[in-house]
Amino acid sequence: MKPGFSAMTVSALTLGFAFLYIPILLLMIFSFNESRLVTVWGGFSFKWYGELFRNRLLLESIWVTLKIALTSATLALVLGTLAAITLVRFVRFRGRTLFSGMIFAPLVMPEVITGLSLLLLFVAVDWDRGFSTVVVAHTTFTTAYVAVVVQSRLLTFDEMLEEAAMDLGATPLRTFFVITLPVIAPALVSGWLLAFTLSLDDLVIASFTTGPGATTLPMRIYSQVRLGITPEINAISTILIAVVALGVITASLIQKRQFARRGGHG
Amino acid sequence: MMDAKPADVRGPQEPWRDPSAVPLIEIRDVVKTFGNFVAVDDVWLDIYPREFFALLGPSGCGKTTLLRMLAGFETPTSGSIRIDGVDMSAVPPYRRPVNMMFQSYALFPHMTVEQNISFGLKQEGMGRSEIADRVAAMLGLVELTDFARRKPHQLSGGQKQRVALARALVKRPKVLLLDEPLGALDRRLREQTQFELVNIQESLGITFIIVTHDQDEAMTVSTRIAIMDRGRTVQVGTPGEIYEYPNSLYVSQFIGEVNIFESRVVEAGKDHVTVFSPEADTTIFADRGLDAVPGQEVYAAIRPEKMSIAKTPPEDAGHNCISGTVFDIGYLGSISVYHVRLANGTKVKVTTANRHRFVERPITWDDPVWVWWPPAASVILLA
Ligand SMILES: Nc1ncnc2c1ncn2[C@@H]1O[C@H](COP(=O)(O)OP(=O)(O)OP(=O)(O)O)[C@@H](O)[C@H]1O
Ligand SMILES: [Mg+2]
């Protein structure tokens, strides 16, 4: 047996994965449970999925969540890309270290702090809390993730491609849109998907910064769970898991293909 | 037979000898520093229309940096560059009448070969059908017609190089800058492409500036060569001038094989120099003048192929004649290389053309031999 696969490592790995995924698997299985009781199997059914589409509050929060995720991910993409370009291309400017520190701080900042401080800000400037405040909050913390993804791509970007384009008569602006953007596009897509999924499943920051009429799906689920777990919650969670998994898998596939295309020497 | 210098082969089109000729590119006192490091040091060059100008020098001597300043990617620290009479200091790369082929190719990875080549023409706003024609012609020229729809990552190194060449050529700029354009090609394709380059250059009237490590390439294709050393141009001249009349030890050793003898001036005149070399243990006579005083230390440089070798001494054995024994022979097909050791231990290299298949009394190992050369073959270089 290879040293990497001793009985010890295999069992540790199995245990670890079991601990991680069995609860999720159970949740998904019980979303197809006929019975109302979460712990007793009463036969297979799509009943709770049907129920879901009659729950107006839940549907509303799904719609709100999607709108917030789409808007904030798109804003974060633009801001994060600009930040990454600044960091990579303008190697020396005053306060660069401070700038990059402040860009990446939200990655390690406890969500409670981010949420609370944003709340204080919105209160201080008397900004009515609701859809727009959640979008601003989500943009703030997902921008950092986009910046990381785009920055790492830009670091390996061959600037001679831009020089070649300009040499052939393309203006700097045209070069950016025709050469730079298409070449780093996969990183932009995965950055956007990352921001989208982060916004989608955020509970803490959204709870702090939201207001009336802007209850997101994670918040709705959390408040319903406090009244007891229903198979309906299992159903919506299953859908959420599927959407997030799809996003993450797409992002990683795009990056993988990009890497293969560069043939390992790009 | 050999009295015409190779420099004369190209006939009278030598604008650099014509004081009224107007240079296309004027590089004036150009310096480029990176921090404290001087990459290009006080370069002054005139390059004339339709020239095929080669920059030759060891790695890191500033060839690419000089090209990048011409293309507009680097700004000279001081000095000026004019192209076609226009000062380039305020002209951005995308407005210069110059195209460059990059040493690392810099092909656009998200575009096919065809799209890479047509990119420059699209920027000009050229019509679709004309673009298609030009690209097709270019693809044919670089033998890549079958690869038109491939992406760069699906090409071999040599194929990428040819795409890069085609992409830079297709715009037919006034000046084409080629940074080691043929380095990755095999010998057949390399020679063929050199030939094609000269053809293209002559038929389109483009001025080429080519950077190369390869002295044979520089000799083959160029009208003039600039030899560079640590950011400076040490000699500029036709391939013939550079080869026959190097102005320094560095140049003589950089181009071709050469025997160097440390010497002292015996007598220097307007049209001749006599030196004595203890190393060669002979008096060396050269039929070109030198500005030197008796006793001054100089180097005598003699090309191996300009020397004669025989087992009997020449009839007028005076100066320019040495004797020794053969200690090694290299047979290279068209030529043979004889390594001769003189009585005082100095080693000399002599090459002879193998014109006949059988030589009556061939020279072999340990034969005592005489080696001599005409005054025109000795080049005296100031130390
Ligand atoms: N952007 C830069 N920053 C600092 N040093 C540089 C930069 N570009 C070039 N140099 C230095 O300038 C010198 C000349 O570089 P250049 O690329 O012109 O050499 P080269 O003659 O083209 O060499 P090669 O034949 O290896 O391509 C080198 O020592 C290089 O390290
Ligand atoms: Mg170079």
Side-chain angles (χ1 to χ4, degrees), chain B residues 230-354:
Chain B
R230 281 167 290 166
R232 291 177 169 274
T233 51
V234 287
Q235 187 171 7
V236 181
T238 61
E241 286 166 350
I242 299 263
Y243 189 80
E244 303 290 340
Y245 309 111
N247 65 3
S248 65
L249 198 60
Y250 177 83
V251 173
S252 73
Q253 285 173 322
F254 197 81
I255 297 267
E257 296 272 356
V258 69
N259 293 298
I260 302 282
F261 303 119
E262 282 179 20
S263 316
R264 263 173 207 288
V265 175
V266 175
E267 191 248 321
K270 260 203 162 55
D271 59 352
H272 69 278
V273 199
T274 313
V275 301
F276 178 77
S277 169
E279 243 187 336
D281 197 18
T282 186
T283 308
I284 297 172
F285 184 74
D287 66 355
R288 268 164 66 99
L290 186 77
D291 191 10
V293 294
Q296 190 171 336
E297 278 186 36
V298 290
Y299 294 98
I302 299 112
R303 301 273 179 204
E305 80 281 2
K306 296 202 187 321
M307 293 174 147
S308 305
I309 184 167
K311 288 200 278 188
T312 49
E315 279 168 18
D316 55 346
H319 42 241
N320 298 359
C321 181
I322 53 187
S323 63
T325 47
V326 174
F327 72 93
D328 197 11
I329 301 174
Y331 176 74
L332 303 178
S334 60
I335 61 164
S336 290
V337 184
Y338 296 94
H339 297 265
V340 178
R341 188 182 287 116
L342 308 186
N344 61 8
T346 304
K347 289 169 188 169
V348 177
K349 208 183 223 183
V350 183
T351 55
T352 58
N354 294 328

Side-chain angles (χ1 to χ4, degrees), chain A residues 37-54:
Chain A
L37 299 165
V38 231
T39 42
V40 183
W41 184 252
F44 184 86
S45 137
F46 280 116
K47 179 171 147 194
W48 302 109
Y49 287 87
E51 210 52 22
L52 212 59
F53 289 101
R54 279 187 291 279

Side-chain angles (χ1 to χ4, degrees), chain B residues 65-198:
Chain B
T65 308
L66 190 58
L67 283 202
R68 287 174 59 80
M69 286 192 282
L70 289 171
F73 303 130
E74 306 279 3
T75 335
T77 309
S78 68
S80 72
I81 294 173
R82 290 164 77 85
I83 299 177
D84 211 12
V86 182
D87 184 80
M88 286 288 127
S89 52
V91 182
Y94 48 94
R95 296 239 174 74
R96 296 197 181 195
V98 167
N99 282 145
M100 175 152 169
M101 181 191 158
F102 288 75
Q103 195 168 6
S104 58
Y105 319 143
L107 300 180
F108 306 132
H110 58 300
M111 296 184 186
T112 61
V113 167
E114 221 167 15
Q115 290 167 330
N116 262 282
I117 298 176
S118 62
F119 184 86
L121 299 177
K122 283 190 190 135
Q123 306 311 310
E124 284 178 5
M126 184 182 279
R128 265 168 181 267
S129 63
E130 202 185 343
I131 290 182
D133 291 348
R134 289 267 282 267
V135 171
M138 219 58 238
L139 283 169
L141 184 67
V142 294
E143 297 184 11
L144 283 174
T145 309
D146 298 338
F147 297 86
R149 280 175 217 287
R150 293 227 192 154
K151 293 270 181 75
H153 69 101
Q154 297 165 316
L155 299 176
S156 74
Q159 290 165 342
K160 284 184 199 162
Q161 198 165 41
R162 283 180 277 155
V163 178
L165 182 62
R167 189 179 67 177
L169 264 177
V170 77
K171 286 194 79 174
R172 296 180 195 165
K174 273 185 194 148
V175 182
L176 188 64
L177 309 171
L178 303 151
D179 200 347
E180 306 210 13
L182 312 176
L185 302 187
D186 65 48
R187 206 176 124 155
R188 183 196 67 90
L189 204 56
R190 194 182 171 96
E191 281 172 4
Q192 191 180 328
T193 316
Q194 281 172 0
F195 183 71
E196 286 297 344
L197 277 180
V198 174

